[in-house]
Structure formats: structure tokens, C-alpha cells
Amino acid sequence: MGNINKTNIPIQGMTCQHCHMTIQKGLSSLKGVSLVQVNLKENNADVAYDPDQIELAAIKAKIVALGFKV
């Protein structure tokens, strides 16, 4: 793994623990993502990723594909 970028992504539409787990599992499955911490109360996710393996836009697109808004 090369450099690691960290970002906080605001997420709209999370209402329950199931939403939390859906995002957690979905983002964790992406190649290049090394850490995901979803905060249901704050409606966001802290994500650490390798920009050589995945772009931030792809991470956001995964969140949208899971049924949430970024």
C-alpha cells in the first residue's frame, strides 16, 4: 500500500443500525479502503484509503449505490 488518505464523508439517509452496517460492510469491501468508521449519530463516515488503488469518487459512488446520499 502506498500513501493513505483520510476523509470524512457526510451521508444522508442513515436512520438505523442496519444502515450503519450496510455502509460499513459496503465500503470495507472496496479494494484500497483500509478503514471505515461510520457514525450514525453524526451522519458521516471516516474513511482511510489508498488513492493509488481507489479514487474518492468511487467511494462516494459506492455509498450512492447502497442507497444513500453523499
Side-chain angles (χ1 to χ4, degrees), residues 6-30:
K6 295 179 183 176
T7 189
N8 180 278
I9 303 171
I11 302 171
Q12 295 177 15
M14 289 193 299
T15 58
C16 63
Q17 191 64 26
H18 182 266
C19 297
H20 172 278
M21 292 307 299
T22 298
I23 294 169
Q24 182 82 33
K25 287 180 182 179
L27 295 183
S28 294
S29 71
L30 296 173

Side-chain angles (χ1 to χ4, degrees), residues 1-65:
M1 235 185 223
N3 294 327
I4 298 296
N5 287 359
K6 295 179 183 176
T7 189
N8 180 278
I9 303 171
I11 302 171
Q12 295 177 15
M14 289 193 299
T15 58
C16 63
Q17 191 64 26
H18 182 266
C19 297
H20 172 278
M21 292 307 299
T22 298
I23 294 169
Q24 182 82 33
K25 287 180 182 179
L27 295 183
S28 294
S29 71
L30 296 173
K31 183 178 180 179
V33 173
S34 57
L35 176 70
V36 178
Q37 293 179 320
V38 179
N39 187 325
L40 183 60
K41 212 179 237 190
E42 298 291 325
N43 293 310
N44 63 35
D46 289 318
V47 181
Y49 65 99
D50 182 344
D52 293 331
Q53 293 187 34
I54 190 166
E55 294 182 3
L56 180 57
I59 295 169
K60 291 179 177 181
K62 179 67 172 184
I63 294 168
V64 172

